Every structure is written in structure tokens, then in C-alpha cells.
């Protein structure tokens, strides 16, 4: 029942029902909707990941050559509730098992984020449980903790996604210090743009990686931007331009395009490997974690694996399925934050949000 507010005349919402589950003792529902993937998961602090489901909008955006924000928002609206039902069914759970709802508060596309925020807040209010706004990059950073062999804190993290390329010092949940980042394009963005130049369509990263398998790196020579510099900065925008220039100056056949793709991939991988190991050496720690969509790249995994082993560095990747955007990492980050502090988030999204401003848990 609602009663009109005496001052405004607007019906005030009834108090939410009291929920039997206490924070930290039940499952956390995680909702990811920052870009073109709708992800939902149920994570239990003691029992681990109970279920997760994902819908990729890649096919829908493919004909436009990139993400169309309005279409992304509308599709999140269509997908979210069925995915929540699916996850609850897969976990053998009911809404009564949910102790908190975590959602990606930012950064990301404003409209897409609002869809997840709306559902999370509405759901949490109806259940009478806390709602937790999660930083998308914190989700990526903590995603290796979902693995059978999780890293211990502290570690150095290479965060390589479509929007970010950063080296971070991670001392604990919420204790992140930026060591270096890209001055222009992110690694994933470079993959996407170069894939487009090579006519491989969208999404570019996986398509380019697959295409590069039939090519040979070294037949064309591309730069290794900033690899020799002492800092921990990256720059990938010139690499795409170098690919464009190579295509313009040479008669490149299909095999040549594959060779160029392989050289491009190797260039990005060489730079990422070199800078990551430099950051690990500077930190004095022997643990390196790679997270974000580009972490799914097999060439990066192989090259970094060899280089890390040669220097006695322990290397951790999230499982392949949790490298790109997903609800599991949001549910996990929500659970870790909930454990640390009883949370009651205000409704909102943060399309732009600096990870460095997060408080420690
Ligand atoms: O982390 P993510 O799913 O979304 C963001 O938060 O940005 O990362 C998506 C990025 C895209 O740029 C995509 O092309 C790239 O990760 N990516 C890959 C691979 N799989 C995804 N890049 C290279 N090789 C891959 N196998
Ligand atoms: Zn992401």
C-alpha cells in the first residue's frame, strides 16, 4: 500500500519487505550492462559461483561496424529479466536466496548502465536487500579470483579491455594505484580498429586473432610503440595508422593481409609483455594478473606465459569466459565489497569513473 506524501501529494513507496538473509551470508546477484553484453550471475561468498548467463549483442551491432548505444540499451531491457530467471533456475535458487544485488554503476554507456541500475535497484528494493554499485574495471581486476587457482594480494595487474589499457598495483580490494596507461587508444580498441581496416568486421579482436593464425609475423615490419621507453605508458593509435600505410603502399593479397594481422598482433603482444614485466620488476612482487577482453588473446597468453616463467613470475589469467564482460565478475566484486562494508547504494550510474577514486574495502 502507498500513501500520498503530505508535502508533495506524491504517493510514497511502502517500506520494503524484511528479508531473512543477512548481508554476506547469502548469494549476490550480479548484473552487467555497461556495453554490448548482458551478463547476470549468482555468486555465493562461501559456495562460489552458483550460475551465470550471458547474452552478447555482437551480432546485432555487427552490421553497423560498432556498438550503437541506443540499440544496446533496448536490448539490455529485453534480455535482463529472462537472464535473471535463467540464472536463478540454473542455480536452483529463488529470489529469497538473494542477499544483495550488485550492478555495474560505471564506466560505460549511460543508457546501457541505466538499464542495469534500474533493474538492480528495483529488485533490491522489492527484496529488501542492499544494492551495490560496482566499478566495471574493479570487476575485471578481481575476475581472476573466480579461478580454481586465484592470485593472492598484492599483485601487478595488466588491465587490457576495449576502453582501457592500464598497469595497476593491487594491494587489496579497492586498493588500486595506477602505474601507467595508454596515452591514446586502448589495446582492444586498436584490435577493433585494425580489424576494420583489414575488412574483418566487428567485434574485431577475436576476428583478427583468428585471421592472424594463417599469417606469419615478421613478413611485414610494424613498430613496437613505446616499447623501449622507460615509463609504463602505452600508445597504440600509431600502429593502426602503420597498418593503413602498409596497405596503401603495397599490393597486399589475402595472405599478405593475414601476415599483416599476425604482425599487428605480435606488436601489441610484444609491447604488453615488455611493459608488464617492467612493472612487475619495479614493484618487487612476483605476481602478475592479466584481466579484460584482450586477456582472451591466445598469443598474449602464450608469450606472456613464456616470459613470466623465464623470470620466475607467477602469472594469472581469468578463465577465458570471464575475460570479456560478464555478470560473474560483478557479482564477485559485489560480494567482496558487501563483505567488507554493509552497503546501501544510491540510485545512479557513472558513465565516466576513475578507478583510482574507489575507496578501499
Ligand atoms: O573487457 P571487454 O569485454 O570490454 C570492455 O570493458 O571494453 O573487452 C572487449 C575488448 C574488445 O576490444 C575486443 O576486441 C577485445 O577485448 N578482445 C580481444 C579478444 N577477445 C576480445 N582482443 C584480442 N584477442 C582476443 N581474442
Ligand atoms: Zn569490460
Amino acid at each position: 500500500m502507498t500513501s500520498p506524501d503530505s508535502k508533495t501529494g506524491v504517493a510514497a513507496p511502502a517500506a520494503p519487505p524484511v528479508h531473512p538473509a543477512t548481508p554476506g551470508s547469502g548469494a549476490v546477484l550480479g548484473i552487467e550492462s555497461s556495453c554490448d553484453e548482458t551478463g547476470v550471475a549468482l555468486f555465493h561468498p562461501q559456495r562460489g559461483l552458483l550460475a551465470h548467463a550471458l547474452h552478447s549483442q555482437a551480432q546485432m551491432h555487427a552490421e553497423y561496424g560498432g556498438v550503437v548505444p541506443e540499440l544496446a540499451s533496448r536490448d539490455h531491457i529485453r534480455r535482463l529479466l529472462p537472464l535473471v530467471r535463467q540464472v536463478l533456475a540454473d542455480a536452483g535458487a529463488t529470489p529469497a536466496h538473494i542477499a544483495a544485488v550488485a550492478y555495474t554503476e560505471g564506466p560505460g554507456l549511460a543508457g546501457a548502465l541505466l538499464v542495469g541500475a534500474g533493474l538492480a535497484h528495483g529488485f533490491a528494493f522489492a527484496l529488501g536487500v542492499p544494492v551495490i554499485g560496482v566499478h566495471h574495471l574493479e570487476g575485471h581486476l578481481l575476475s581472476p579470483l573466480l579461478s580454481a587457482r586465484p592470485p593472492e594480494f598484492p599483485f601487478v595487474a595488466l588491465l587490457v579491455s576495449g576502453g582501457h589499457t592500464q598497469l595497476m598495483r593491487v594491494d587489496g580490494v579497492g586498493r588500486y594505484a595506477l602505474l601507467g596507461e595508454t596515452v591514446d587508444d586502448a589495446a582492444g580498441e586498436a584490435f577493433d580498429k585494425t580489424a576494420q581496416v583489414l575488412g574483418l568486421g566487428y567485434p574485431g579482436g577475436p576476428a583478427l586473432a583468428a585471421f592472424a593464425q594463417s599469417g606469419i609475423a615478421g613478413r611485414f615490419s610494424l613498430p613496437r610503440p613505446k616499447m623501449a621507453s622507460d615509463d609504463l605508458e602505452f600508445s597504440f593509435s600509431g600502429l593502426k595508422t602503420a597498418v593503413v600505410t602498409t596497405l596503401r603502399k603495397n599490393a597486399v593479397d589475402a595472405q599478405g593481409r593475414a601476415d599483416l594481422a599476425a604482425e599487428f598482433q605480435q606488436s601489441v603482444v610484444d609491447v604488453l609483455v615488455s611493459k608488464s614485466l617492467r612493472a612487475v620488476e619495479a614493484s618487487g612482487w612476483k605476481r602478475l594478473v592479466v584481466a579484460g577482453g584482450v586477456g582472451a588473446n591466445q598469443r598474449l597468453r602464450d608469450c606472456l606465459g613464456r616470459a613470466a616463467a623465464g623470470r620466475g613470475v607467477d602469472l594469472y589469467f581469468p578463465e577465458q569466459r570471464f575475460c570479456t564482460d560478464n555478470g560473474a565478475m560483478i557479482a564477485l566484486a559485489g560480494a567482496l565489497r558487501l563483505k567488507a562494508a554493509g552497503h546501501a547504494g544510491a540510485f545512479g550510474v557513472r558513465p565516466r569513473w576513475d578507478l583510482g577514486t574507489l575507496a578501499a574495502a
Side-chain angles (χ1 to χ4, degrees):
M1 285 291 287
T2 56
S3 57
D5 183 282
S6 57
K7 282 190 199 131
T8 62
V10 175
V18 176
H19 193 272
T22 51
S25 69
V28 176
L29 182 73
I31 292 171
E32 156 63 32
S33 71
S34 66
C35 191
D36 60 347
E37 254 119 17
T38 321
V40 177
L42 200 59
F43 179 86
H44 192 282
Q46 281 84 45
R47 293 163 56 207
L49 187 64
L50 302 181
H52 84 107
L54 188 76
H55 174 77
S56 168
Q57 303 176 352
Q59 223 180 342
M60 184 182 78
H61 296 296
E63 65 175 293
Y64 303 95
V67 178
V68 183
E70 178 63 23
L71 293 184
S73 311
R74 291 184 201 181
D75 203 57
H76 286 310
I77 292 173
R78 268 193 296 271
R79 306 286 173 182
L80 260 177
L81 267 179
L83 286 179
V84 170
R85 286 198 191 98
Q86 183 187 328
V87 160
L88 288 176
D90 289 352
T94 68
H97 292 100
I98 298 172
V101 183
Y103 71 100
T104 303
E105 188 176 344
L109 302 170
L113 289 167
L114 278 167
V115 177
L119 186 118
H121 277 267
F123 213 34
F125 181 78
L127 294 171
V129 300
V131 59
I132 307 152
V134 170
H135 195 296
H136 181 79
L137 296 183
E138 178 168 58
H140 276 303
L141 269 186
L142 300 177
S143 61
L145 300 180
L146 289 163
S147 311
R149 188 183 73 99
E152 279 173 27
F153 298 113
F155 54 75
V156 170
L158 171 69
L159 195 59
V160 265
S161 69
H164 295 81
T165 297
Q166 299 181 329
L167 279 160
M168 313 278 309
R169 190 192 142 106
V170 179
D171 289 275
V173 178
R175 296 169 63 201
Y176 315 122
L178 183 67
L179 302 173
E181 64 182 332
T182 181
V183 296
D184 43 51
D185 287 356
E189 193 178 357
F191 264 94
D192 293 337
K193 288 179 176 174
T194 304
Q196 198 133 31
V197 166
L198 290 170
L200 299 173
Y202 168 88
L208 195 148
F211 189 52
Q213 279 186 339
S214 54
I216 295 179
R219 283 198 179 149
F220 288 100
S221 174
L222 292 175
R224 278 18 181 194
K226 282 190 168 284
M227 196 158 90
S229 67
D230 276 344
D231 54 34
L232 295 174
E233 288 187 340
F234 302 88
S235 169
F236 291 115
S237 68
L239 209 43
K240 174 209 65 197
T241 311
V243 170
V244 172
T245 309
T246 306
L247 285 170
R248 216 177 274 149
K249 285 192 178 159
N250 301 278
V252 182
D253 60 8
Q255 181 58 48
R257 283 173 48 248
D259 294 340
L260 200 46
E263 173 67 1
F264 165 84
Q265 176 175 250
Q266 194 59 51
S267 168
V268 175
V269 166
D270 286 348
V271 174
L272 292 177
V273 169
S274 163
K275 295 275 174 173
S276 302
L277 290 177
R278 189 184 299 245
V280 170
E281 259 162 38
S283 76
W285 305 332
K286 287 285 185 187
R287 271 191 289 271
L288 175 64
V289 163
V290 182
V294 183
N297 186 276
Q298 198 53 50
R299 187 81 191 147
L300 176 64
R301 288 178 169 241
D302 294 345
C303 291
L304 203 46
R306 275 195 295 273
R311 298 192 194 195
V313 173
D314 283 335
L315 181 62
Y316 300 84
F317 283 93
E319 289 177 40
Q320 284 274 359
R321 62 192 177 141
F322 298 138
C323 280
T324 44
D325 293 348
N326 63 85
M329 67 184 193
I330 303 303
L332 167 78
L336 291 172
R337 289 235 158 232
L338 185 66
K339 210 169 114 191
H343 231 273
F347 180 83
V349 296
R350 302 190 210 200
R352 300 174 73 85
W353 190 4
D354 182 0
L355 186 63
T357 62
L358 280 189

